[in-house]
Each structure stands twice: as structure tokens, then as C-alpha cells.
Amino acid sequence: MDKLYIIAQKDQHQTDAISAGLALAKQLNLQAEIGCYSYESLSGESYYDNEIASKAQAQILADELASIQEQLHTLAAMDTPVVQNWCKNLAEHACQHVRPESHSFMVKSIHDSDQFLPADWQLIRHTQVPLMLMSNNPLNKARSVLMAIDLGTNKLEKQHLNEQVIAQAKRLAEVTGFELHLGYVVRVPKILRDMDILNIRTLVKDAYNKHQEAIAKIGIDNENVHILAGNADMCLFELSCRLKAQYLVMGIHQKQGIFGHIIGNTSEAILSKVRSNIVVVPSKR
């Protein structure tokens, strides 16, 4: 059985990744594995000798493990393996440990509700499996899955990534029983919208007509297809809120270090405000 890797961080005060990850692993029929990450700057400090530093490290790890085991006991999941890690670079370790041949999914909560931590960005840029970053400000009564697809791409690589996003979104919708929606944004710079040069309604209507064959191939009802015109960050944010999306599934072209054409340079903007759990699907290397 493939594994779902749950990242548990020291001093994690936001969304409970462990309970959510265990529930998702059960739905996806994956074996949950918890990676517990701790680190304090002890070794090499002039104030401590090696013996004191080693004892302090051991105590920190013991406290963290006891806390997780207590939570697992409450969740009746004591058989879940816990891998403890004393390392400064959480993302580097997680991305090396979680590989497609052994793991199918990775889950992490966002530590800060206002912005992603550097570790989150590094995970996004280097993960080899789908990664879910859990919102700290989730929508109430969220009951849908929204997949962000680039219907307009002619590039083979992006088309393959679309297929991976669709497969992941369909699987989430199937196991959760949530309604599946598709979002596609026709990018229109703000300056053009403000100048009122383009007829936005005509652009959207033309996009619907142009991509009917692709939409039919995906196998999704037309009423669940949402084509918008504007900036991707605000369009997808507003759409995910309107649909009460529990999951927003999108692809990432990691060789660029940012999201691909769907999001472009607006990735940070949408990630900082979205209230859905974001599932990023990396392109296969």
C-alpha cells in the first residue's frame, strides 16, 4: 500500500494536520506515516557542552513524541508509524524522503495564517508527489472540489499536467462525495479591463465555445464549468469561496520555481488569501 506522509511541526498551533491527514489517508486507502520535525540551536553554542546539548535534544524529541502519541491514542490510531527528525531544513528532508515509489501524497498545515513559510514554498517547488497545504481559515460547510485547469494550452507538457490535476481532483471528489468543479481563467490584465477595450462577456462566451470538446472529454457537467476573465489569483479565490471548495487542485511547473501558466506570477497572491485546502500536483519529471 502506498503511503500518505503527514508533516507534524514543532509548535504547530494552527490546523491539525495529523487528524486531517489520517482521515484523508483512510479515504484514499493509503497508509499514513507521520514525520515529526523538531530543531533547536544547541550544538556548537558556547553556552552548552555536547553532553548538555545531547540531553536537551533527547528531551525535546521525547516530549514531541509523547505529544503525538497522546493524540494518536485519542484518535485510535496508535499503530501509525512516527518518524522523528532533528533537522533544520524540513522541506529538504521531506522532499528527499517522500518519493513516488513509496508515497502518493503529502499533507502539511500552514503554520502562519497570513503567509506561507519558506518551508512551504520549498515543499511546493521540490515535492515529487501531490502536496496538500491546509488552510488555517477554512470555509464553513465546504462541500466541493475545484480544479484549476489551463484549457487554452497547446504545450504537451502542460496538457499532461492538466491530466494529472484532473485525475487527482476526480479522486478527491470520489472519495469525499464532494461535487467536482472546473475553473479556467482567461487572463486579462487589469489595465485592459479598466480601459474597457475588451468585451469580457464575449471573451468568456468564446472560450466556452472553443473548449467544448476538451470539456466534454473531461466528463464534467457544463454547469460545473466556470470560465472567468481577469487575474488568476482573484478569480480563483472568489470562485473557490463562492463554490465553498474544500480543495483547490492545481498543477505546478517546478522547473520555473513558480506555478505554471494558470497562476503565473500571481501564485503568492492566491496562496496568501485562499480559504480552501490547496493541493498542488507536480509535473512528472
Short mmCIF file of all heavy atoms in Angstrom, two decimals, residues 188-232:
data_model
loop_
_atom_site.label_atom_id
_atom_site.label_comp_id
_atom_site.label_asym_id
_atom_site.label_seq_id
_atom_site.Cartn_x
_atom_site.Cartn_y
_atom_site.Cartn_z
N VAL A 188 -6.74 38.47 -18.39
CA VAL A 188 -6.94 39.80 -18.95
C VAL A 188 -6.31 40.80 -17.98
O VAL A 188 -6.80 40.96 -16.86
CB VAL A 188 -8.43 40.13 -19.14
CG1 VAL A 188 -8.59 41.55 -19.70
CG2 VAL A 188 -9.09 39.12 -20.05
N PRO A 189 -5.21 41.46 -18.35
CA PRO A 189 -4.57 42.42 -17.45
C PRO A 189 -5.54 43.50 -16.99
O PRO A 189 -6.45 43.90 -17.72
CB PRO A 189 -3.44 42.99 -18.30
CG PRO A 189 -3.18 41.95 -19.34
CD PRO A 189 -4.50 41.32 -19.63
N LYS A 190 -5.31 44.00 -15.80
CA LYS A 190 -6.19 44.99 -15.20
C LYS A 190 -6.28 46.25 -16.06
O LYS A 190 -7.35 46.87 -16.17
CB LYS A 190 -5.70 45.36 -13.80
CG LYS A 190 -6.62 46.30 -13.04
CD LYS A 190 -6.11 46.54 -11.63
CE LYS A 190 -7.08 47.41 -10.84
NZ LYS A 190 -7.26 48.75 -11.46
N ILE A 191 -5.19 46.63 -16.67
CA ILE A 191 -5.19 47.85 -17.47
C ILE A 191 -6.18 47.74 -18.62
O ILE A 191 -6.89 48.71 -18.95
CB ILE A 191 -3.76 48.17 -18.01
CG1 ILE A 191 -3.76 49.49 -18.79
CG2 ILE A 191 -3.24 47.03 -18.87
CD1 ILE A 191 -4.10 50.70 -17.97
N LEU A 192 -6.29 46.56 -19.23
CA LEU A 192 -7.24 46.37 -20.33
C LEU A 192 -8.68 46.36 -19.82
O LEU A 192 -9.59 46.86 -20.48
CB LEU A 192 -6.94 45.07 -21.08
CG LEU A 192 -5.60 45.02 -21.82
CD1 LEU A 192 -5.44 43.70 -22.56
CD2 LEU A 192 -5.49 46.19 -22.80
N ARG A 193 -8.87 45.77 -18.63
CA ARG A 193 -10.22 45.78 -18.06
C ARG A 193 -10.63 47.21 -17.72
O ARG A 193 -11.77 47.61 -17.96
CB ARG A 193 -10.28 44.90 -16.81
CG ARG A 193 -9.93 43.44 -17.08
CD ARG A 193 -10.43 42.52 -15.98
NE ARG A 193 -10.01 42.92 -14.66
CZ ARG A 193 -8.85 42.59 -14.10
NH1 ARG A 193 -7.99 41.85 -14.79
NH2 ARG A 193 -8.55 42.96 -12.88
N ASP A 194 -9.71 47.97 -17.16
CA ASP A 194 -10.02 49.35 -16.77
C ASP A 194 -10.29 50.24 -17.98
O ASP A 194 -11.12 51.16 -17.92
CB ASP A 194 -8.88 49.94 -15.94
CG ASP A 194 -8.75 49.28 -14.58
OD1 ASP A 194 -9.71 48.60 -14.16
OD2 ASP A 194 -7.69 49.45 -13.94
N MET A 195 -9.61 49.97 -19.08
CA MET A 195 -9.80 50.79 -20.28
C MET A 195 -11.09 50.44 -21.02
O MET A 195 -11.51 51.14 -21.93
CB MET A 195 -8.60 50.61 -21.23
CG MET A 195 -7.30 51.17 -20.68
SD MET A 195 -5.88 50.78 -21.74
CE MET A 195 -6.30 51.69 -23.23
N ASP A 196 -11.70 49.32 -20.62
CA ASP A 196 -12.98 48.90 -21.21
C ASP A 196 -12.87 48.72 -22.72
O ASP A 196 -13.78 49.05 -23.49
CB ASP A 196 -14.07 49.92 -20.87
CG ASP A 196 -15.46 49.30 -21.00
OD1 ASP A 196 -15.57 48.07 -20.89
OD2 ASP A 196 -16.43 50.06 -21.22
N ILE A 197 -11.72 48.20 -23.15
CA ILE A 197 -11.49 47.96 -24.58
C ILE A 197 -12.11 46.63 -25.01
O ILE A 197 -12.65 46.51 -26.10
CB ILE A 197 -9.98 47.97 -24.89
CG1 ILE A 197 -9.41 49.36 -24.63
CG2 ILE A 197 -9.71 47.54 -26.32
CD1 ILE A 197 -7.91 49.44 -24.80
N LEU A 198 -12.01 45.63 -24.12
CA LEU A 198 -12.46 44.29 -24.45
C LEU A 198 -13.86 44.04 -23.90
O LEU A 198 -14.23 44.56 -22.84
CB LEU A 198 -11.49 43.26 -23.87
CG LEU A 198 -10.04 43.34 -24.34
CD1 LEU A 198 -9.19 42.35 -23.58
CD2 LEU A 198 -9.95 43.08 -25.84
N ASN A 199 -14.60 43.24 -24.62
CA ASN A 199 -15.90 42.79 -24.13
C ASN A 199 -15.67 41.49 -23.37
O ASN A 199 -15.50 40.43 -23.99
CB ASN A 199 -16.87 42.58 -25.30
CG ASN A 199 -18.29 42.29 -24.82
OD1 ASN A 199 -18.48 41.56 -23.85
ND2 ASN A 199 -19.26 42.85 -25.52
N ILE A 200 -15.66 41.57 -22.05
CA ILE A 200 -15.34 40.41 -21.22
C ILE A 200 -16.34 39.29 -21.41
O ILE A 200 -15.98 38.11 -21.49
CB ILE A 200 -15.27 40.82 -19.73
CG1 ILE A 200 -14.17 41.88 -19.52
CG2 ILE A 200 -14.99 39.60 -18.87
CD1 ILE A 200 -12.79 41.44 -19.89
N ARG A 201 -17.61 39.63 -21.51
CA ARG A 201 -18.64 38.60 -21.68
C ARG A 201 -18.43 37.84 -22.98
O ARG A 201 -18.62 36.63 -23.04
CB ARG A 201 -20.03 39.24 -21.65
CG ARG A 201 -20.38 39.86 -20.31
CD ARG A 201 -21.80 40.39 -20.30
NE ARG A 201 -22.77 39.32 -20.46
CZ ARG A 201 -24.09 39.52 -20.49
NH1 ARG A 201 -24.57 40.76 -20.38
NH2 ARG A 201 -24.91 38.51 -20.64
N THR A 202 -18.02 38.55 -24.04
CA THR A 202 -17.76 37.89 -25.32
C THR A 202 -16.54 36.98 -25.22
O THR A 202 -16.54 35.86 -25.77
CB THR A 202 -17.53 38.94 -26.42
OG1 THR A 202 -18.70 39.74 -26.55
CG2 THR A 202 -17.22 38.28 -27.74
N LEU A 203 -15.51 37.43 -24.50
CA LEU A 203 -14.31 36.61 -24.31
C LEU A 203 -14.66 35.29 -23.63
O LEU A 203 -14.21 34.22 -24.04
CB LEU A 203 -13.28 37.36 -23.47
CG LEU A 203 -12.39 38.39 -24.16
CD1 LEU A 203 -11.48 39.04 -23.13
CD2 LEU A 203 -11.57 37.73 -25.26
N VAL A 204 -15.45 35.37 -22.58
CA VAL A 204 -15.84 34.18 -21.83
C VAL A 204 -16.70 33.26 -22.68
O VAL A 204 -16.49 32.04 -22.71
CB VAL A 204 -16.57 34.58 -20.53
CG1 VAL A 204 -17.17 33.35 -19.86
CG2 VAL A 204 -15.63 35.30 -19.59
N LYS A 205 -17.65 33.83 -23.40
CA LYS A 205 -18.53 33.03 -24.25
C LYS A 205 -17.73 32.32 -25.34
O LYS A 205 -17.95 31.13 -25.62
CB LYS A 205 -19.60 33.92 -24.89
CG LYS A 205 -20.61 33.16 -25.74
CD LYS A 205 -21.67 34.10 -26.30
CE LYS A 205 -22.66 33.34 -27.18
NZ LYS A 205 -23.69 34.25 -27.74
N ASP A 206 -16.79 33.04 -25.95
CA ASP A 206 -15.95 32.44 -26.98
C ASP A 206 -15.10 31.30 -26.42
O ASP A 206 -14.89 30.28 -27.08
CB ASP A 206 -15.04 33.50 -27.60
CG ASP A 206 -15.79 34.50 -28.47
OD1 ASP A 206 -16.96 34.21 -28.80
OD2 ASP A 206 -15.22 35.56 -28.79
N ALA A 207 -14.62 31.48 -25.17
CA ALA A 207 -13.81 30.43 -24.55
C ALA A 207 -14.65 29.18 -24.29
O ALA A 207 -14.18 28.05 -24.49
CB ALA A 207 -13.22 30.95 -23.24
N TYR A 208 -15.88 29.36 -23.85
CA TYR A 208 -16.78 28.22 -23.66
C TYR A 208 -16.95 27.45 -24.97
O TYR A 208 -16.84 26.22 -25.02
CB TYR A 208 -18.15 28.68 -23.16
CG TYR A 208 -18.29 28.75 -21.66
CD1 TYR A 208 -18.33 29.97 -21.01
CD2 TYR A 208 -18.41 27.59 -20.90
CE1 TYR A 208 -18.47 30.05 -19.63
CE2 TYR A 208 -18.55 27.65 -19.53
CZ TYR A 208 -18.59 28.88 -18.89
OH TYR A 208 -18.72 28.94 -17.53
N ASN A 209 -17.21 28.17 -26.04
CA ASN A 209 -17.44 27.53 -27.35
C ASN A 209 -16.17 26.84 -27.85
O ASN A 209 -16.22 25.74 -28.40
CB ASN A 209 -17.93 28.56 -28.36
CG ASN A 209 -19.31 29.11 -28.02
OD1 ASN A 209 -20.12 28.42 -27.39
ND2 ASN A 209 -19.58 30.34 -28.43
N LYS A 210 -15.05 27.51 -27.67
CA LYS A 210 -13.79 26.98 -28.19
C LYS A 210 -13.37 25.70 -27.50
O LYS A 210 -12.80 24.80 -28.14
CB LYS A 210 -12.69 28.04 -28.01
CG LYS A 210 -11.32 27.60 -28.50
CD LYS A 210 -10.30 28.72 -28.30
CE LYS A 210 -8.92 28.29 -28.78
NZ LYS A 210 -7.92 29.38 -28.58
N HIS A 211 -13.68 25.58 -26.21
CA HIS A 211 -13.16 24.44 -25.43
C HIS A 211 -14.23 23.39 -25.10
O HIS A 211 -14.03 22.57 -24.21
CB HIS A 211 -12.53 24.96 -24.14
CG HIS A 211 -11.40 25.90 -24.35
ND1 HIS A 211 -10.25 25.55 -25.04
CD2 HIS A 211 -11.22 27.21 -24.01
CE1 HIS A 211 -9.42 26.59 -25.09
NE2 HIS A 211 -9.99 27.60 -24.46
N GLN A 212 -15.34 23.40 -25.83
CA GLN A 212 -16.40 22.43 -25.56
C GLN A 212 -15.93 20.98 -25.70
O GLN A 212 -16.28 20.12 -24.92
CB GLN A 212 -17.60 22.67 -26.49
CG GLN A 212 -18.59 23.70 -25.98
CD GLN A 212 -19.17 23.30 -24.63
OE1 GLN A 212 -19.66 22.19 -24.43
NE2 GLN A 212 -19.08 24.22 -23.67
N GLU A 213 -15.10 20.73 -26.71
CA GLU A 213 -14.61 19.36 -26.93
C GLU A 213 -13.73 18.90 -25.76
O GLU A 213 -13.87 17.77 -25.28
CB GLU A 213 -13.83 19.29 -28.24
CG GLU A 213 -13.36 17.88 -28.58
CD GLU A 213 -12.64 17.82 -29.91
OE1 GLU A 213 -12.72 18.80 -30.69
OE2 GLU A 213 -11.98 16.79 -30.19
N ALA A 214 -12.84 19.79 -25.30
CA ALA A 214 -11.97 19.44 -24.17
C ALA A 214 -12.79 19.23 -22.90
O ALA A 214 -12.51 18.32 -22.11
CB ALA A 214 -10.94 20.55 -23.96
N ILE A 215 -13.81 20.06 -22.70
CA ILE A 215 -14.66 19.94 -21.51
C ILE A 215 -15.42 18.62 -21.54
O ILE A 215 -15.52 17.91 -20.53
CB ILE A 215 -15.63 21.13 -21.42
CG1 ILE A 215 -14.85 22.42 -21.15
CG2 ILE A 215 -16.68 20.90 -20.34
CD1 ILE A 215 -15.68 23.68 -21.30
N ALA A 216 -15.94 18.27 -22.73
CA ALA A 216 -16.67 17.01 -22.87
C ALA A 216 -15.76 15.81 -22.59
O ALA A 216 -16.18 14.81 -21.99
CB ALA A 216 -17.28 16.92 -24.27
N LYS A 217 -14.51 15.92 -23.02
CA LYS A 217 -13.55 14.84 -22.80
C LYS A 217 -13.26 14.64 -21.32
O LYS A 217 -13.07 13.51 -20.85
CB LYS A 217 -12.25 15.13 -23.55
CG LYS A 217 -11.24 14.01 -23.51
CD LYS A 217 -10.01 14.35 -24.34
CE LYS A 217 -8.98 13.23 -24.29
NZ LYS A 217 -7.76 13.57 -25.08
N ILE A 218 -13.25 15.72 -20.56
CA ILE A 218 -13.02 15.62 -19.12
C ILE A 218 -14.18 14.90 -18.44
O ILE A 218 -14.01 14.21 -17.44
CB ILE A 218 -12.83 17.03 -18.51
CG1 ILE A 218 -11.52 17.64 -19.04
CG2 ILE A 218 -12.80 16.98 -16.98
CD1 ILE A 218 -11.34 19.10 -18.69
N GLY A 219 -15.38 15.06 -19.00
CA GLY A 219 -16.54 14.38 -18.46
C GLY A 219 -17.15 15.10 -17.27
O GLY A 219 -17.51 14.45 -16.28
N ILE A 220 -17.29 16.40 -17.36
CA ILE A 220 -17.86 17.19 -16.28
C ILE A 220 -19.04 17.98 -16.83
O ILE A 220 -19.03 18.44 -17.97
CB ILE A 220 -16.80 18.14 -15.67
CG1 ILE A 220 -17.34 18.84 -14.43
CG2 ILE A 220 -16.28 19.13 -16.69
CD1 ILE A 220 -16.27 19.59 -13.65
N ASP A 221 -20.09 18.10 -16.04
CA ASP A 221 -21.29 18.82 -16.47
C ASP A 221 -20.96 20.28 -16.77
O ASP A 221 -20.16 20.90 -16.07
CB ASP A 221 -22.38 18.75 -15.40
CG ASP A 221 -22.88 17.33 -15.19
OD1 ASP A 221 -22.75 16.52 -16.12
OD2 ASP A 221 -23.41 17.06 -14.09
N ASN A 222 -21.62 20.82 -17.79
CA ASN A 222 -21.36 22.21 -18.18
C ASN A 222 -21.63 23.20 -17.06
O ASN A 222 -20.95 24.22 -16.95
CB ASN A 222 -22.19 22.57 -19.42
CG ASN A 222 -21.59 22.02 -20.70
OD1 ASN A 222 -20.38 21.80 -20.78
ND2 ASN A 222 -22.42 21.81 -21.71
N GLU A 223 -22.64 22.91 -16.23
CA GLU A 223 -22.96 23.84 -15.15
C GLU A 223 -21.87 23.87 -14.07
O GLU A 223 -21.85 24.77 -13.22
CB GLU A 223 -24.31 23.50 -14.51
CG GLU A 223 -24.42 22.09 -13.98
CD GLU A 223 -25.07 21.14 -14.96
OE1 GLU A 223 -24.91 21.35 -16.19
OE2 GLU A 223 -25.73 20.19 -14.51
N ASN A 224 -20.98 22.89 -14.10
CA ASN A 224 -19.87 22.85 -13.14
C ASN A 224 -18.57 23.37 -13.75
O ASN A 224 -17.51 23.23 -13.15
CB ASN A 224 -19.67 21.44 -12.61
CG ASN A 224 -20.75 21.03 -11.63
OD1 ASN A 224 -21.74 21.74 -11.45
ND2 ASN A 224 -20.58 19.89 -10.99
N VAL A 225 -18.66 23.94 -14.94
CA VAL A 225 -17.50 24.53 -15.60
C VAL A 225 -17.60 26.05 -15.47
O VAL A 225 -18.63 26.64 -15.82
CB VAL A 225 -17.45 24.13 -17.09
CG1 VAL A 225 -16.27 24.83 -17.79
CG2 VAL A 225 -17.32 22.61 -17.24
N HIS A 226 -16.54 26.66 -14.97
CA HIS A 226 -16.54 28.09 -14.70
C HIS A 226 -15.36 28.74 -15.42
O HIS A 226 -14.20 28.53 -15.04
CB HIS A 226 -16.46 28.35 -13.19
CG HIS A 226 -17.43 27.53 -12.40
ND1 HIS A 226 -18.71 27.93 -12.15
CD2 HIS A 226 -17.29 26.30 -11.82
CE1 HIS A 226 -19.34 27.00 -11.44
NE2 HIS A 226 -18.49 26.00 -11.23
N ILE A 227 -15.68 29.50 -16.47
CA ILE A 227 -14.64 30.21 -17.21
C ILE A 227 -14.75 31.69 -16.85
O ILE A 227 -15.82 32.30 -16.97
CB ILE A 227 -14.79 30.00 -18.72
CG1 ILE A 227 -14.60 28.52 -19.06
CG2 ILE A 227 -13.76 30.85 -19.48
CD1 ILE A 227 -14.72 28.19 -20.54
N LEU A 228 -13.65 32.24 -16.38
CA LEU A 228 -13.62 33.62 -15.90
C LEU A 228 -12.55 34.40 -16.65
O LEU A 228 -11.61 33.81 -17.21
CB LEU A 228 -13.32 33.65 -14.40
CG LEU A 228 -14.20 32.75 -13.52
CD1 LEU A 228 -13.64 32.68 -12.12
CD2 LEU A 228 -15.63 33.25 -13.50
N ALA A 229 -12.67 35.69 -16.65
CA ALA A 229 -11.67 36.55 -17.29
C ALA A 229 -11.16 37.56 -16.28
O ALA A 229 -11.95 38.18 -15.56
CB ALA A 229 -12.27 37.25 -18.51
N GLY A 230 -9.85 37.69 -16.20
CA GLY A 230 -9.26 38.62 -15.25
C GLY A 230 -7.93 38.11 -14.75
O GLY A 230 -7.23 37.38 -15.46
N ASN A 231 -7.57 38.48 -13.54
CA ASN A 231 -6.34 37.99 -12.91
C ASN A 231 -6.63 36.66 -12.23
O ASN A 231 -7.62 36.53 -11.51
CB ASN A 231 -5.81 39.00 -11.89
CG ASN A 231 -5.22 40.22 -12.58
OD1 ASN A 231 -4.80 40.15 -13.73
ND2 ASN A 231 -5.20 41.34 -11.87
N ALA A 232 -5.75 35.71 -12.41
CA ALA A 232 -6.00 34.36 -11.92
C ALA A 232 -6.16 34.30 -10.41
O ALA A 232 -6.99 33.55 -9.90
CB ALA A 232 -4.88 33.42 -12.36
#
